[in-house]
Amino acid sequence: MACGPPAGTASRATMDVVPPPPSAVPSRTDPASIRNFCIIAHIDHGKSTLADRMLEVTGIVAGRDMRAQYLDRMDIERERGITIKAQAVRLPWTSGQGGPPVEYVLNLIDTPGHVDFSYEVSRSLAACEGAVLLVDAAQGIEAQTLANLYLAIENDLTVVPVLNKIDLPAAQPDKHAEELAHVIGCDPAEVLRVSAKSGQGVPELLDVIVRDVPAPGGAPDAAARALIFDSVYDVYRGVVTYVRVFDGYLRDHDRIRMMSTGATHEMLEVGVISPEPVETGGLGVGEVGYLITGVKDVRQSRVGDTVTEAGRPATVMLAGYRHPRSMVFSGLYPVDGSEYPLLRDALDKLQLNDASFDYEPETSAALGFGFRCGFLGLLHLEIVRERLEREFNLSLISTAPNVVYRVTVESGEEVVVTNPSDWPTGKIAAVREPVVRSMLLLPSDYVGAVMDLCQSRRGVLAGMDYLSQDRVELRYTLPLGEIIFDFFDQLKSRTRGYASLDYEPAGEQEAALVKVDILLQGEPVDAFSAIVHKDKAYAYGVALTGKLRRLIPRQQFEVPIQAAIGSRIIARENIRAIRKDVLAKCYGGDITRKRKLLEKQKEGKRRMKMVGRVEVPQEAFIAALSTDQS
């Protein structure tokens, strides 16, 4: 049984068309036979594997065509074993439920599990009536499990609790079923148990989804309204828009209107994903599918917008969801300056595939022309950079990530700082930094180590709960700037990989922050500047000057590397000069002859020092700007 409201009587109705083979999906489907649901879980709990088994059990993919992580289309997803983009697929299913067999259509959306991609989960929930909450029977409830559950409850979805990997030797299904039932508020016997790897329990899960997830509502005769929940850019066909129809009917070759922008387009193709695109000629109430209008402009298809008919437009937009707020900012620069136009075009196209990041042009004295990009987290930054390099064949440098600060100067003027180079000069009255509410789940043995880590990052304990005898939930308010670097790595190392982390924005707080500049030969290098807490400024300056001393090659003259706060130097390292042995030819004679040669060499180095510039290799920038502190 699912933990949610039972379906209405409409869910027992049959389809008004004969069920087709997978290659011929009908264009009109009775809404009473449709079930829209998504799979939500923590990362690596088996979402993609469960989706693979559903594809096999429903017969939508032939055995010879099946491959692991079938719905993960990007190479990077398959290599890392994570889902980055949500994928929708339409599945046929015959369910008896103790009576005559009834044909149903299941629209499944496979969602990512990492905290950085929670916006993908939110857009999937907006298009569904039910959610399968998947928990690893060996690991139990994790932070993202709870976060996704709360999102599903906010969207008023029917939640189907499921334990996965019950065939593992380390699985403890009874223990984790009690945990899950305690969190959701249902009986442990109602928690389904499946093995996505072997397929055990998957047909029963599909039957429960059909029984308990309500059929989609909507008015078939009303003006058409469809929610855009995703969009991708196709090189040959332009923008491919994924929609869920709530009212009316969308036919191909009709003219449609985007309600937020007012732009109108002709639909060239309408269809469903089953699991490859299949043209159907139209989409009715409750159906999930795609639209192709031939539009090439990436800004014409905004995620969260409502699509309606241009001839008979709807008057009220569907309730979308908030545009995701960038949490982390980093500069992206091409290694070769001539690739700047290519990088701009690549960012334009990638922004349609990933609507959660934004960018604006910026320049750096050290790195040249580039873009300041906003991301949802460090993994998101890493994925976007890797996609740009792979899909568009670019070589990029990313600067050290930082967050948005609001700085008030003595005159009362407020400056928004997303880059250390934007830091105002003169006296600072106040600095406000973003903070997040974090939720950490961990075994009780590691509570002390994790609390020590959080307090060293200026965290404030907001609460602590025992989910079971050996499982603890800690809630901390932490500065975002303190957790975007190596916080997650430190958390994993202190708990031997057993802790999990989830966080959400929680406003701002005032803090004693300063800008640390790195000077080479007395000249500041903007790419190495950073905004850090006053108490950690000295340690940061010592660490970075020491790292640069090892990375920058020796010059013909001595080079001082200094860390400074304003005009005050807080750390210094020297790169010794390369010294030619001018005394090698002096095999004897008076000491004055040797001294004369040394003085002549010293004078030449002094002149070189006045006109010489320090050469910093590209590898030094990459290594110094990396988040690895070792």
Side-chain angles (χ1 to χ4, degrees):
M1 290 180 62
C3 299
T9 54
S11 63
R12 302 290 183 265
T14 60
M15 292 174 59
D16 56 358
V17 294
V18 177
S23 58
V25 181
S27 59
R28 284 181 180 270
T29 308
D30 181 2
S33 66
I34 297 175
R35 300 292 182 270
N36 297 322
F37 71 99
C38 60
I39 305 175
I40 54 177
H42 191 80
I43 190 169
D44 200 31
H45 277 209
K47 297 175 303 303
S48 298
T49 309
L50 180 60
D52 288 347
R53 294 294 80 72
M54 288 182 173
L55 293 175
E56 280 188 340
V57 168
T58 56
I60 200 75
V61 178
R64 66 177 181 274
D65 298 327
M66 193 64 201
R67 64 175 191 268
Q69 292 177 260
Y70 191 92
L71 295 178
D72 291 342
R73 303 302 171 93
M74 289 186 283
D75 291 340
I76 191 171
E77 290 180 308
R78 305 179 65 77
E79 287 172 17
R80 289 172 174 256
I82 61 174
T83 302
I84 295 168
K85 279 196 71 64
Q87 298 288 347
V89 64
R90 178 176 173 133
L91 309 170
W93 181 242
T94 303
S95 178
Q97 297 288 316
V102 179
E103 302 289 342
Y104 291 93
V105 170
L106 309 179
N107 288 311
L108 156 67
I109 302 179
D110 180 26
T111 63
H114 196 278
V115 58
D116 282 8
F117 302 110
S118 56
Y119 71 98
E120 291 278 355
V121 180
S122 70
R123 69 173 66 167
S124 303
L125 294 173
C128 295
E129 282 77 37
V132 173
L133 185 68
L134 200 64
V135 174
D136 189 326
Q139 298 181 39
I141 296 174
E142 305 272 19
Q144 193 66 28
T145 312
L146 290 180
N148 289 331
L149 172 63
Y150 297 149
L151 277 174
I153 292 171
E154 282 175 20
N155 283 269
D156 199 25
L157 300 190
T158 298
V159 177
V160 181
V162 178
L163 281 177
N164 189 22
K165 306 185 185 180
I166 58 169
D167 53 346
L168 287 180
Q172 297 176 288
D174 295 335
K175 173 186 172 185
H176 296 308
E178 285 186 13
E179 280 184 11
L180 196 50
H182 171 70
V183 170
I184 295 179
C186 65
D187 192 272
E190 297 175 4
V191 179
L192 296 174
R193 304 179 185 195
V194 305
S195 170
K197 189 173 183 179
S198 66
Q200 177 187 345
V202 175
E204 292 81 1
L205 170 59
L206 293 174
D207 284 338
V208 170
I209 290 169
V210 164
R211 185 191 67 201
D212 292 330
V213 173
D221 300 324
R225 290 195 304 169
L227 177 71
I228 300 177
F229 68 89
D230 203 0
S231 52
V232 296
Y233 184 83
D234 186 282
V235 176
Y236 303 104
R237 315 188 77 181
V239 178
V240 180
T241 304
Y242 294 98
V243 297
R244 151 73 195 275
V245 179
F246 281 85
D247 294 312
Y249 191 79
L250 293 174
R251 298 173 186 81
D252 57 356
H253 302 299
D254 280 356
R255 290 199 69 80
I256 57 170
R257 172 179 293 170
M258 307 294 180
M259 292 189 71
S260 69
T261 62
T264 59
H265 312 286
E266 181 184 353
M267 287 191 294
L268 304 179
E269 185 179 319
V270 180
V272 297
I273 309 294
S274 185
E276 303 302 326
V278 178
E279 188 172 357
T280 60
L283 290 173
V285 170
E287 291 192 278
V288 176
Y290 69 90
L291 315 172
I292 296 177
T293 59
V295 172
K296 299 289 184 183
D297 186 356
V298 297
R299 292 173 289 274
Q300 291 289 326
S301 184
R302 193 169 66 84
V303 171
D305 201 354
T306 302
V307 177
T308 188
E309 292 177 282
R312 189 170 68 129
T315 54
V316 180
M317 289 181 62
L318 292 167
Y321 35 84
R322 298 185 305 274
H323 185 76
R325 252 180 57 194
S326 296
M327 306 277 278
V328 175
F329 288 83
S330 177
L332 288 178
Y333 294 85
V335 172
D336 182 354
S338 63
E339 290 185 343
Y340 175 77
L342 300 177
L343 175 58
R344 184 182 57 225
D345 294 342
L347 288 170
D348 267 344
K349 291 173 182 174
L350 191 63
Q351 192 175 39
L352 181 67
N353 286 300
D354 185 353
S356 63
F357 90 100
D358 44 41
Y359 62 93
E360 59 183 26
E362 76 168 1
T363 57
S364 163
L367 302 174
F369 291 97
F371 293 91
R372 194 79 187 159
C373 303
F375 305 92
L376 299 173
L378 276 191
L379 179 67
H380 190 209
L381 186 162
E382 193 179 331
I383 294 296
V384 166
R385 177 182 165 178
E386 196 163 338
R387 287 186 67 187
L388 287 169
E389 291 181 336
R390 284 186 182 205
E391 296 173 23
F392 302 96
N393 199 26
L394 297 169
S395 297
L396 301 175
I397 299 172
S398 57
T399 61
N402 59 276
V403 299
V404 183
Y405 301 99
R406 290 198 298 138
V407 182
T408 305
V409 295
E410 272 201 333
S411 63
E413 181 187 357
E414 188 174 272
V415 180
V416 176
V417 176
T418 59
N419 188 348
S421 61
D422 299 335
W423 192 266
T425 56
K427 289 196 173 181
I428 305 295
V431 182
R432 299 190 67 80
E433 64 176 352
V435 294
V436 294
R437 278 189 299 270
S438 62
M439 177 170 58
L440 302 101
L441 266 68
L442 57 141
S444 55
D445 296 346
Y446 303 108
V447 169
V450 172
M451 291 180 81
D452 179 61
L453 172 64
C454 293
Q455 284 163 5
S456 71
R457 301 302 177 96
R458 298 189 284 128
V460 178
L461 183 64
M464 177 176 172
D465 289 320
Y466 277 81
L467 298 180
S468 65
Q469 189 174 355
D470 57 355
R471 199 117 175 105
V472 181
E473 176 191 348
L474 289 176
R475 294 184 298 280
Y476 266 91
T477 301
L478 287 158
L480 179 59
E482 294 282 352
I483 67 171
I484 62 169
F485 285 97
D486 61 343
F487 181 84
F488 192 67
D489 294 338
Q490 288 284 330
L491 178 68
K492 287 293 184 184
S493 69
R494 294 194 186 202
T495 62
R496 300 184 184 177
Y498 285 114
S500 58
L501 168 72
D502 186 76
Y503 59 84
E504 60 179 12
E508 295 179 328
Q509 71 179 15
E510 201 166 307
L513 301 172
V514 293
K515 177 189 175 187
V516 178
D517 285 311
I518 300 297
L519 312 178
L520 290 181
Q521 200 73 4
E523 293 293 323
V525 181
D526 58 350
F528 293 140
S529 299
I531 299 166
V532 297
H533 193 266
K534 185 174 67 175
D535 296 342
K536 298 185 178 179
Y538 174 72
Y540 175 82
V542 169
L544 194 55
T545 52
K547 185 184 279 190
L548 288 175
R549 181 174 64 81
R550 296 190 300 270
L551 293 169
I552 297 176
R554 292 167 69 182
Q555 316 284 322
Q556 290 287 335
F557 48 89
E558 186 177 293
V559 178
I561 307 171
Q562 299 166 304
I565 299 175
S567 58
R568 183 164 61 91
I569 305 298
I570 60 171
R572 173 176 175 138
E573 293 278 357
N574 287 336
I575 301 175
R576 292 177 57 198
I578 298 174
R579 180 169 174 173
K580 181 183 177 184
D581 188 2
V582 294
L583 304 181
K585 58 187 176 183
C586 296
Y587 47 86
D590 189 31
I591 186 64
T592 55
R593 186 180 172 205
K594 296 180 181 179
R595 193 169 290 143
K596 183 180 177 183
L597 285 171
L598 290 171
E599 290 296 329
K600 188 177 180 182
Q601 184 188 42
K602 190 190 294 184
E603 182 59 35
K605 285 190 179 291
R606 188 179 293 117
R607 280 204 313 276
M608 191 186 295
K609 194 172 181 178
M610 288 193 300
V611 299
R613 284 198 56 176
V614 182
E615 291 182 11
V616 183
Q618 210 71 63
E619 295 77 19
F621 279 107
I622 296 170
L625 296 176
S626 70
T627 57
D628 181 21
Q629 298 299 313
S630 59

